[in-house]
Amino acid sequence: MFDIGFTELLLVGLVALLVLGPERLPGAVRTASRWIGRLKRSFSTFKAEVEREIGADEIRRQLHSEQILELEREMKAMKRGILAPMPTSDTGNSAEATPPAAETTSQDKTAQP
């Protein structure tokens, strides 16, 4: 991560031994390792949360793109006459959106000249 070699670690350890002394050095190492562990965990949690959000945004974008592609396919099919136009009624009932077909009875056929 920081590209610290063995000689740099040895130098830091010797300076810490001289500054803190042999009595306080083990406690300082434990405290430092706890803080480093907490930082690593918090960074990994943050990273996982960001990746999850990015993944969720990517899924939303993909779904939106698929919906747009499906609408484009329907429009092309309508232009070619393959698909009938969808009703634009807010009620959602297709029977109300289309007018009823005219029925022809036997009386209508005889009454016409």
Side-chain angles (χ1 to χ4, degrees), residues 26-42:
V29 169
R30 271 193 299 272
T31 304
S33 64
R34 282 187 198 136
W35 280 101
I36 290 171
R38 287 178 186 166
L39 282 172
K40 282 184 177 181
R41 280 191 300 275
S42 65

Side-chain angles (χ1 to χ4, degrees), residues 40-89:
K40 282 184 177 181
R41 280 191 300 275
S42 65
F43 280 130
S44 66
T45 303
F46 179 72
K47 181 181 172 185
E49 185 176 328
V50 167
E51 287 177 353
R52 187 173 48 242
E53 282 295 321
I54 289 172
D57 289 341
E58 183 64 31
I59 290 170
R60 281 189 210 110
R61 271 190 242 116
Q62 185 178 9
L63 286 174
H64 183 69
S65 298
E66 288 176 2
Q67 288 174 349
I68 289 174
L69 288 173
E70 182 64 31
L71 288 173
E72 287 177 358
R73 280 189 221 118
E74 288 179 7
M75 293 298 290
K76 287 179 183 177
M78 283 175 44
K79 285 180 182 177
R80 284 187 252 143
I82 297 172
L83 204 80
M86 296 178 63
T88 57
S89 175

